[in-house]
Amino acid sequence: MSLFKINSDQAYRTMGTAAMYLLPIIGLAGIVVTTVLGQTNFLILSLYLVIPLLLVSILFRSLGSRDEAAAASLDEGSFRLLLVAYLLCYSLSAILLTVYDVRPLAYFLIVTTMTVTVLIQIMKFKVTGEKVVLVLLQILGLVANLNLGVTLKYFRFIGRTDVMIHNQYVNSVIQTGHVTQVFFDYQAFPLWHILNAIIYMLGAGTFPTDKVMAITGCIIFLCLPLLAYLVAVRLFKDRRTGMIAALLAFFFPNLTYWSISGISSAVAVVLIAFLIYLAVDGKQKYGILLIGLVTAAIVVYHSVSVIFALLIIVALYLVQKVLMSKTEQLPQISFKYIALTITGTLAYWYFFGPILLQELYNNIVLQAPTGIVTKSIVLTPLSEIFNYLQYSPAVLFILVGVLAILLSARFDARAKLFAVVAFMFIWITFPGPLYLFNKLLYNFSIDRFAEYTPFLLAIVSSAGLAALLTRSNKYVKACIILLFAVWVMLSVTNDWVASDNPLVKRPFYTYYLAQDEIAGFDRIAVSATAMIHTDFITTRYLDSTPQDPQFSILEVAGDKTDFYKSSPDDVILIRNAELEKRPLKISTNHIGAFKRYPRIDTYDYYYKDSEIWDNLRRYDQVYDSSRVSGYV
């Protein structure tokens, strides 16, 4: 029984009203606290969150109270014209991807234009079954364009380096036909790699394994906008809002990147979205069985995804137990389901992946890295805040959605449940003060919430964007469409999603390797008779190669006067081409001697104008190509 069963509507309204008044206060408090503490860098970084907190109440109170159903205002000829414009832009984007070596700014502008045309189609035309299908197809086309426009364009997409390791696992399955020790802690979670190995063999090796992973991941991720549409329609009873949810589900911060990552955790994102759909739908004849199968798939597909899936489900369960009557609750989300999932997960880990239990224990007891590990927030706050700006419209739309749902009688208890849970997850999904606690960030990986909660947040933000576009005057509406266009542009050009050609670079690396780069790595790995010292990205590549060379991250002395090696015969490998456009990530060593495994908090980015590279002159150059050099 709900604690607020007698008057749950009033409880939701009270929460919404309290949030409307408290959010600006929280924003102001953030400014005051960082100013008083003299933390100018953190003040700058916090603006991406503070600005939406200050604006949301004003913006929401400016909305009209008329029916939120948008009136169709354009004729069928205009719809066809927008459809032709979309197809023309799509063709131009494909040409740009083919002609240019690196995706140009014009490509991102065209993608933004396509996205805005889709939004206009959603808002300005009468909703019919045919138009819903056409809009969803256009959204899927955008997903495929941005996904394959990266993974198939560049010789070796590496993402955040995990792609290289997962590609090694796939190749191992193909070569041995077994899951071997090479999988390390993925021995109990090999389904993604087996699937891609099978597809590779069925295709007779037409595509290399990394491209097979990319194409397979793209096809699976095409389900995400469709699931967002289905969940939003069931929660909000409105197909127009459902189409907005489908559009936002791809351009929402972090989801764009995970669609191109091609690793097993990205598949888990889609499985968790499917789990949420099954919980909301409640009409499936075999709903309980399907939920059990999807949960089992998450458990065996990726090592830690089930933990975050459980945290989302537990949040939904606790809120509905407190705020909803039994008839209003999602019956599939129960204490029995949660208990069985926890038991099943621990049993699977105990029997098939005991190393995970050891890692979990280690993360609890081991000391976290010291100091601020994400040093760019201190060293380059302006470039960092620019890349954080993609989060501001997202936060604003979520908060407007929360207020619109909680303060409107149009939405039922289940929609309000999602609004409350989305409000809870905002504070741990987006970068904030919690990310400064290394124990939480590096030992407990709270940044992984940014992988798994955006689907739920996108659903709620669709209600916010729909309210802004249907309940505001024409001037505010024009500003919202412009803000949406800016958001899309920032979402596809920030340095995490577009490190090939971002609008503003931050200390980071290019997320692909060229063919001659890899040729240089392999040549040095084969010929080296001692250890190879190189930057972080190259160590990740060498860790995934069959040559299995000895390697270590390059260490520079604290006074910048020399590099440390384990022996005189060791090779220093430098990526010259990357250093011309980006810094290299190596270790700063203050202990005065080579250390085999330096701590992550010693890693720093060094640009081409750094004095440390002058030290290379005292070494003999033994390898030189257009992109890679080797020194002894």
Side-chain angles (χ1 to χ4, degrees):
M1 178 181 295
S2 165
L3 298 180
F4 297 95
K5 182 179 179 181
I6 297 176
N7 198 351
S8 58
D9 285 341
Q10 184 58 42
Y12 289 123
R13 185 169 291 276
T14 300
M15 284 189 291
T17 303
M20 188 161 53
Y21 288 104
L22 287 175
L23 289 172
I25 296 174
I26 295 172
L28 289 172
I31 295 175
V32 171
V33 170
T34 51
T35 302
V36 170
L37 294 176
Q39 298 293 334
T40 306
N41 290 346
F42 293 139
L43 173 61
I44 293 171
L45 288 171
S46 68
L47 291 177
Y48 89 87
L49 185 58
V50 167
I51 292 173
L53 293 176
L54 296 177
L55 290 179
V56 62
S57 298
I58 299 171
L59 190 58
F60 182 77
R61 292 170 74 90
S62 72
L63 298 180
S65 58
R66 63 182 180 273
D67 184 11
E68 296 183 22
S73 58
L74 297 177
D75 57 24
E76 292 300 309
S78 299
F79 181 85
R80 296 190 191 95
L81 185 62
L82 285 172
L83 193 57
V84 170
Y86 172 91
L87 294 173
L88 178 62
C89 287
Y90 205 97
S91 300
L92 289 174
S93 70
I95 292 171
L96 291 175
L97 287 173
T98 304
V99 171
Y100 286 87
D101 293 333
V102 175
R103 294 183 300 169
L105 177 61
Y107 169 79
F108 300 113
L109 290 171
I110 289 173
V111 168
T112 301
T113 302
M114 285 192 287
T115 309
V116 173
T117 63
V118 173
L119 180 66
I120 294 172
Q121 291 173 50
I122 293 171
M123 299 308 303
K124 287 299 181 180
F125 295 94
K126 182 180 179 181
V127 176
T128 64
E130 178 183 321
K131 286 190 174 65
V132 169
V133 171
L134 287 173
V135 166
L136 291 177
L137 285 174
Q138 291 174 76
I139 294 171
L140 297 184
L142 283 167
V143 174
N145 190 311
L146 275 166
N147 184 309
L148 301 178
V150 172
T151 55
L152 297 189
K153 176 174 178 57
Y154 299 117
F155 180 74
R156 182 70 57 81
F157 173 74
I158 62 172
R160 294 175 188 167
T161 73
D162 288 349
V163 178
M164 294 184 283
I165 306 299
H166 287 274
N167 186 47
Q168 177 194 20
Y169 298 161
V170 174
N171 283 315
S172 175
V173 172
I174 293 170
Q175 293 162 7
T176 66
H178 299 282
V179 175
T180 64
Q181 295 292 328
V182 123
F183 276 68
F184 191 52
D185 53 353
Y186 271 88
Q187 288 184 70
F189 311 95
L191 294 185
W192 173 243
H193 315 96
I194 293 172
L195 171 64
N196 283 282
I198 292 171
I199 294 172
Y200 173 86
M201 289 186 285
L202 288 175
T206 304
F207 294 100
T209 51
D210 62 304
K211 304 305 181 189
V212 170
M213 289 170 58
I215 295 170
T216 307
C218 177
I219 293 171
I220 292 174
F221 231 88
L222 290 175
C223 298
L224 197 72
L226 302 179
L227 290 168
Y229 171 80
L230 293 173
V231 171
V233 167
R234 279 155 179 75
L235 285 178
F236 307 137
K237 313 298 188 294
D238 180 56
R239 289 189 293 177
R240 201 182 300 276
T241 307
M243 288 185 284
I244 294 176
L247 188 60
L248 298 188
F250 178 64
F251 289 104
F252 216 75
N254 297 306
L255 286 179
T256 308
Y257 169 75
W258 287 108
S259 75
I260 64 177
S261 64
I263 58 179
S264 52
S265 59
V267 179
V269 171
V270 178
L271 290 174
I272 291 172
F274 189 35
L275 181 65
I276 292 172
Y277 162 70
L278 292 173
V280 169
D281 184 54
K283 296 179 181 179
Q284 298 289 339
K285 183 178 180 181
Y286 302 104
I288 298 296
L289 176 61
L290 286 173
I291 284 179
L293 289 174
V294 172
T295 304
I298 296 171
V299 172
V300 302
Y301 226 89
H302 185 249
S303 55
V304 299
S305 293
V306 69
I307 296 175
F308 295 90
L310 270 170
L311 291 172
I312 294 171
I313 295 301
V314 167
L316 290 168
Y317 171 76
L318 292 176
V319 172
Q320 75 174 8
K321 290 294 287 186
V322 172
L323 296 176
M324 298 168 65
S325 65
K326 189 172 182 178
T327 56
E328 294 172 328
Q329 295 175 9
L330 301 173
Q332 290 86 349
I333 298 179
S334 63
F335 179 79
K336 181 186 293 185
Y337 165 77
I338 293 171
L340 287 174
T341 301
I342 293 174
T343 304
T345 300
L346 291 176
Y348 186 79
W349 287 7
Y350 179 79
F351 289 107
F352 300 102
I355 190 173
L356 285 179
L357 295 175
Q358 181 63 48
E359 288 182 357
L360 182 62
Y361 172 78
N362 291 342
N363 287 337
I364 294 173
V365 301
L366 291 181
Q367 181 182 356
T370 57
I372 298 176
V373 179
T374 310
K375 299 173 183 177
S376 55
I377 66 176
V378 175
L379 301 176
T380 56
L382 293 179
S383 64
E384 201 76 5
I385 183 59
F386 188 91
N387 284 285
Y388 279 15
L389 287 179
Q390 58 164 325
Y391 299 131
S392 293
V395 173
L396 181 64
F397 295 149
I398 295 168
L399 292 175
V400 172
V402 169
L403 296 178
I405 293 169
L406 294 180
L407 296 174
S408 173
R410 176 176 174 267
F411 297 99
D412 63 18
R414 293 184 177 183
K416 296 179 191 297
L417 165 66
F418 271 70
V420 173
V421 173
F423 185 79
M424 293 165 53
F425 279 124
I426 286 176
W427 314 104
I428 54 177
T429 297
F430 298 102
L434 290 178
Y435 281 35
L436 297 176
F437 295 93
N438 291 339
K439 188 74 173 178
L440 293 176
L441 184 60
Y442 286 92
N443 290 48
F444 296 117
S445 301
I446 63 164
D447 56 327
R448 281 185 174 267
F449 277 107
E451 298 177 33
Y452 304 107
T453 58
F455 177 80
L456 184 148
L457 298 179
I459 300 299
V460 175
S461 67
S462 68
L465 183 56
L468 290 169
L469 290 174
T470 57
R471 294 170 53 185
S472 58
N473 60 49
K474 61 181 180 181
Y475 302 107
V476 174
K477 194 174 298 183
C479 291
I480 295 302
I481 292 175
L482 178 61
L483 177 62
F484 175 80
V486 170
W487 180 32
V488 172
M489 187 67 178
L490 293 173
S491 294
V492 298
T493 58
N494 65 79
D495 207 5
W496 289 284
V497 172
S499 76
D500 54 338
N501 188 20
L503 279 181
V504 174
K505 292 181 179 180
R506 55 189 289 274
F508 203 53
Y509 52 83
T510 307
Y511 60 17
Y512 68 89
L513 296 174
Q515 186 172 6
D516 46 357
E517 262 186 309
I518 291 178
F521 300 161
D522 292 341
R523 178 69 179 271
I524 292 176
V526 169
S527 59
T529 58
M531 186 173 291
I532 300 171
H533 301 264
T534 186
D535 68 287
F536 172 72
I537 298 302
T538 312
T539 64
R540 294 288 283 173
Y541 173 81
L542 295 174
D543 193 29
S544 66
T545 59
Q547 290 94 344
D548 193 27
Q550 279 193 311
F551 61 87
S552 178
I553 191 162
L554 181 61
E555 299 173 35
V556 62
D559 60 6
K560 312 296 189 293
T561 58
D562 202 359
F563 298 107
Y564 291 124
K565 301 197 298 180
S566 63
S567 75
D569 294 330
D570 290 355
V571 178
I572 296 176
L573 189 159
I574 303 296
R575 293 196 292 152
N576 302 323
E578 176 72 358
L579 187 57
E580 283 298 314
K581 56 184 178 180
R582 290 281 200 167
L584 296 183
K585 190 176 186 178
I586 63 177
S587 172
T588 305
N589 183 320
H590 292 282
I591 62 176
F594 172 74
K595 182 176 176 62
R596 183 66 177 90
Y597 298 106
R599 289 172 60 92
I600 192 172
D601 51 2
T602 67
Y603 290 8
D604 292 300
Y605 281 102
Y606 287 92
Y607 287 85
K608 65 179 180 179
D609 57 357
S610 173
E611 60 186 306
I612 69 167
W613 307 117
D614 294 336
N615 296 314
L616 292 173
R617 296 172 183 170
R618 69 183 65 178
Y619 296 95
D620 295 326
Q621 189 172 31
V622 295
Y623 181 83
D624 185 27
S625 71
S626 60
R627 289 181 175 269
V628 177
S629 294
Y631 300 86
V632 174

